[in-house]
Amino acid sequence: MEVLKKMRIVLLLLPLCLETVICYSNGKVEVACRDMTPQHGYDPSPKDPPFTITADKSQFSPEDEIKVTLSMASSGTKHYFKGFLIEARNAGNLREIVGSFKLINSDISQLLQCDNKVNSAVSHTSDSHKTEVQVIWVAPPDSPSSVQFMLTVAQGYKEYWVKIVGPVVSQSGVVPPPQTTFGGSTGTKTTASSTLSRSFTSEGCGIRKSCLRDPQGCDPQNDTACHFLSFRTEGNGVMFELSGPADGYVSFALSLDKWMGNDDVYLCIKDTDRVDIKAAFVLGRTHPEISSENILKDTAWRLSDGVIQCSFRRDIYVQPDNANRFILDQMYYLFMAHGRAENGLTHRHDRQPLISTYQTVITGPPEDLTGSRSPLLIKYHGAFMLIAWMSTVSAGVIMARYFKPDWPERNILGQKVWFQLHRMLMTLTVLLTTVGFVLPFLYRGGWSKRAGIHPYLGCVVMALAVIQPVMALFRPAPDAARRYIFNWMHFGTGTIVQIIAVVTIFLGIHQQALFLPSPWSTAVLAFIVIWFVLADLVLEVHRRGFLPIGKYFKNVKIYTEHINSDDKEEIMFVPDENETSSMESCFKNIVLAVYLCGNLGFLTVLLWTISSV
């Protein structure tokens, strides 16, 4: 039930997750209605706003309409803006949003519901360049005496102005109140970060501090490929150290479960030649919302050899209004991720996040933690498919092709031995394929859009794997006139599905959710395929008489005849057909045994690799 509940939650949130997410570029900024501050994690520009805001009336009556225009000023280096948020507020109580809006150009502007009031704000529809926006404000019947228009305008992700003061309009006969100036620097300033003088080290992991590392046991001081997170309690706070190779950012999150969503996130984002250290929160499989509150202290960073490192201290307990920050004396799973960033904007992580194996208390005793980048369900998916299509199906094929003449006098449950073994192996293949097919859907909560052609081929394999036994149920009698049609269809379908399954597995071992080490994992998988082809080739050559074991290497009966004239013995080699057949069967058994030993050996290597990633 818990898994089904999580599946429903993921399905509801899945449409929100984009291939490359640009924070609120679609203008759905209801989250910023109250403070009008973009969730970008950067301070508003301290410069004077290069915009002009005008209204076509200075006085109004209830239910009047007023045209409000936002346009670029003649000065400024950029002659466009990308995003905006327009609101009308009670001039006597600027926390109160009043009135509603109508659109003039719906291609670049859209209506929002703020403060539970329909059409009470206007925002952009995309991050396209704009030079002017016009909207209509409709005065409500119970309008206050004076209304203040306020705007937030963004020219880029890091360059924006918050609560720009627009014109004040008043009801007829009312003297407008003095305007309140907000200025471009509204917002919380970030504490300046210092530069780290040296790299982090794994010394003391499990003794003085808790550590999570990938690869397990690596040291960031000596290994530039090491992804590293450590934390230790210091007084009333916790000191965190984060390091890893990345093009744009490294991050970690505190989570109550192993599913992305409702997590407390911390990011170290490379910005040209410095690193910005931010706290954020994710509601689901979405872009993290950068916190506007600065709760991080003693921040420091370092850039070297493509590795991003940062450290900061955070209080164990936070203020009640910081609901998205977790208390650090509780148990959480740890997520580590990294990816690209452009102009301070983070993109989706490059690899599956590293997730700690167990929950840990952040303020608890030091531990040397372990983790995995592959979810357990995906590991089982990979293991089941490998066993099915690299082992059981190949053994079943060999049994049906080459062992029909063997054990002619022996039966299993009334059927020939080869047939029962073939049916058992193929039934196991279908069962493993069916279970393995369902597992990714349980994990993803639906279809994966980032797995390329792999899931499509998987669906083809699943369909053909089911068709094969259904076809076998309706096979004609062995002596039927059209039996050959079934034989060719059964052989053709089986060969096609086996080839597609092999291709699908080669693609699958390099999926983000199950990224096996390359190139050696690919080489091992290729060897398993070649090993089957060689075994099949040897048995086929032997069956066709090109490798006539039993003709040149026979058991023989030796007869002696005394030749009176010479008093010598003449030895005659006489073939024994029973012994020849036995020798040929023994040869096939030896080939099968050698094949299974090699197949199971290399299959075990891949299964062990899956368990360790």
Side-chain angles (χ1 to χ4, degrees), residues 4 117 185 190 256 410 426 542 599:
L4 292 175
K117 297 178 181 179
S185 60
T190 304
L256 297 172
R410 299 175 63 183
M426 292 309 185
H542 171 262
N599 175 273

Side-chain angles (χ1 to χ4, degrees), residues 27-318:
K28 303 295 185 180
V29 293
E30 285 89 346
V31 67
C33 282
R34 178 163 297 184
D35 61 8
M36 301 187 73
T37 302
Q39 304 296 306
H40 293 186
Y42 294 90
D43 297 324
S45 173
K47 303 176 183 177
D48 291 333
F51 313 105
T52 301
I53 304 104
T54 59
D56 66 347
K57 296 180 182 178
S58 60
Q59 293 188 326
F60 68 94
S61 299
E63 301 185 354
D64 275 1
E65 294 185 354
I66 297 178
K67 180 188 291 186
V68 180
T69 302
L70 165 65
S71 59
M72 289 296 303
S74 57
S75 60
T77 57
K78 293 182 180 179
H79 301 287
Y80 63 86
F81 56 92
K82 294 183 176 182
F84 61 89
L85 176 62
I86 303 175
E87 295 180 6
R89 298 198 176 191
N90 184 348
N93 178 14
L94 291 176
R95 290 188 297 271
E96 179 187 356
I97 299 175
V98 297
S100 61
F101 287 91
K102 294 181 180 179
L103 301 180
I104 294 178
N105 185 350
S106 60
D107 291 336
I108 62 173
S109 57
Q110 62 183 324
L111 299 171
L112 302 179
Q113 178 174 315
C114 289
D115 202 16
N116 295 320
K117 297 178 181 179
V118 179
N119 302 337
S120 56
V122 184
S123 71
H124 53 283
T125 58
S126 70
D127 60 353
S128 62
H129 293 188
K130 309 166 188 68
T131 57
E132 182 180 87
V133 173
Q134 291 184 325
V135 296
I136 301 294
W137 179 73
V138 182
D142 57 347
S143 177
S145 58
S146 296
V147 174
Q148 172 83 66
F149 290 105
M150 302 183 70
L151 296 87
T152 290
V153 186
Q155 285 188 319
Y157 189 74
K158 295 188 292 184
E159 189 174 16
Y160 58 87
W161 290 259
V162 175
K163 290 184 177 179
I164 303 173
V165 176
V168 175
V169 294
S170 303
Q171 293 199 43
S172 301
V174 175
V175 178
Q179 293 191 18
T180 303
T181 301
F182 288 87
S185 60
T186 301
T188 304
K189 282 290 183 181
T190 304
T191 304
S193 299
S194 60
T195 304
L196 293 167
S197 59
R198 58 177 182 169
S199 175
F200 299 140
T201 176
S202 62
E203 182 180 354
C205 285
I207 302 173
R208 295 188 300 273
K209 58 186 179 182
S210 294
C211 299
L212 177 62
R213 294 175 277 179
D214 180 37
Q216 181 66 26
C218 66
D219 187 347
Q221 190 172 32
N222 305 319
D223 185 0
T224 57
C226 181
H227 293 271
F228 176 83
L229 170 66
S230 75
F231 49 92
R232 63 183 183 275
T233 304
E234 292 184 353
N236 295 325
V238 175
M239 192 69 186
F240 292 92
E241 296 175 334
L242 181 62
S243 173
D247 292 332
Y249 72 93
V250 291
S251 65
F252 76 92
L254 309 178
S255 181
L256 297 172
D257 52 35
K258 289 190 174 184
W259 294 80
M260 181 179 176
N262 299 322
D263 302 329
D264 187 3
V265 181
Y266 300 88
L267 304 106
C268 301
I269 307 170
K270 180 181 177 181
D271 185 9
T272 313
D273 57 352
R274 57 170 285 110
V275 175
D276 292 317
I277 306 170
K278 305 291 183 182
F281 188 79
V282 289
L283 292 172
R285 294 187 173 184
T286 60
H287 192 83
E289 297 179 10
I290 305 296
S291 173
S292 58
E293 296 292 330
N294 181 29
I295 63 167
L296 307 181
K297 305 173 183 177
D298 302 331
T299 56
W301 56 271
R302 183 173 184 266
L303 291 172
S304 178
D305 299 325
V307 176
I308 301 173
Q309 294 189 332
C310 66
S311 64
F312 61 87
R313 185 168 60 86
R314 212 213 82 176
D315 291 340
I316 297 174
Y317 302 99
V318 293

Side-chain angles (χ1 to χ4, degrees), residues 393-411:
V393 76
S394 57
V397 166
I398 289 175
M399 196 61 60
R401 286 183 185 173
Y402 306 111
F403 284 84
K404 288 181 180 180
D406 294 58
W407 313 295
E409 305 299 328
R410 299 175 63 183
N411 292 325

Side-chain angles (χ1 to χ4, degrees), residues 595-607:
Y595 166 72
L596 290 177
C597 288
N599 175 273
L600 294 176
F602 283 93
L603 182 65
T604 301
V605 171
L606 284 179
L607 294 177

Side-chain angles (χ1 to χ4, degrees), residues 535-584:
D536 185 70
L537 184 62
V538 169
L539 291 171
E540 183 65 27
V541 169
H542 171 262
R543 185 176 68 171
R544 293 179 178 273
F546 298 112
L547 189 61
I549 301 295
K551 291 186 178 180
Y552 298 135
F553 303 98
K554 302 177 185 290
N555 283 358
V556 297
K557 289 186 178 179
I558 303 175
Y559 296 90
T560 61
E561 293 183 358
H562 294 278
I563 302 176
N564 294 329
S565 61
D566 296 329
D567 196 21
K568 296 180 180 179
E569 294 182 341
E570 182 176 341
I571 301 176
M572 300 181 65
F573 294 85
V574 180
D576 186 326
E577 294 300 331
N578 291 333
E579 292 294 340
T580 298
S581 176
S582 175
M583 189 63 178
E584 291 182 350

